[in-house]
Amino acid sequence: MSNATPSPETQQEAMKIAKATQKPGQTKEQTKLIAQGIEKGIALYKKQQKAKARDRDKERKKQLKQKQVDTTQLQDVTETEQSVSTSSNLLPWGLLIASWAGFAAYIMSN
């Protein structure tokens, strides 16, 4: 974009700034040169802002992706804990039933 001509709005704004800072005895050619320098400065500023915006967007996407990975890992851990807790909930009930069956068998045998 550095080879492209600045927008008319940028050129007008640069000329306004150059005329506002014009010194007595300064020629039109000198004012034009100052305006061109201001245009380059504005173009550089816009370029830097676009680069910063791209960097912020990349960082935001990176954080979003990391958050999704963390959420997926958390879901996997939760599912594993649920399957472990389900099997561990059955153990006490199984032992209780087995002990009552053994107790009943003992009573019946006597």
Side-chain angles (χ1 to χ4, degrees):
M1 181 165 181
S2 61
N3 293 340
T5 59
S7 68
E9 295 85 14
T10 302
Q11 290 175 345
Q12 290 173 356
E13 187 67 26
M15 188 54 81
K16 282 182 193 175
I17 294 169
K19 286 183 179 182
T21 59
Q22 189 173 14
K23 304 223 184 225
Q26 184 174 314
T27 66
K28 285 185 179 182
E29 189 60 36
Q30 290 171 329
T31 305
K32 272 187 177 178
L33 289 173
I34 292 170
Q36 287 175 350
I38 293 170
E39 286 174 22
K40 287 181 183 179
I42 292 171
L44 179 62
Y45 175 79
K46 287 181 178 179
K47 185 177 177 182
Q48 289 172 343
Q49 292 306 306
K50 284 181 183 178
K52 286 180 184 179
R54 280 193 305 272
D55 291 343
R56 283 191 305 267
D57 191 45
K58 285 179 186 177
E59 186 63 30
R60 183 186 57 80
K61 286 180 181 178
K62 184 179 176 184
Q63 288 176 351
L64 184 63
K65 186 175 181 181
Q66 183 62 38
K67 189 176 181 181
Q68 288 173 343
V69 168
D70 291 346
T71 302
T72 304
Q73 290 174 347
L74 182 61
Q75 287 174 347
D76 292 345
V77 169
T78 303
E79 289 172 4
T80 304
E81 288 174 353
Q82 287 175 349
S83 65
V84 167
S85 67
T86 302
S87 62
S88 64
N89 286 341
L90 296 177
L91 180 64
W93 287 106
L95 291 174
L96 179 65
I97 292 170
S99 66
W100 278 98
F103 181 67
Y106 174 75
I107 296 294
M108 297 280 213
S109 68
N110 283 342

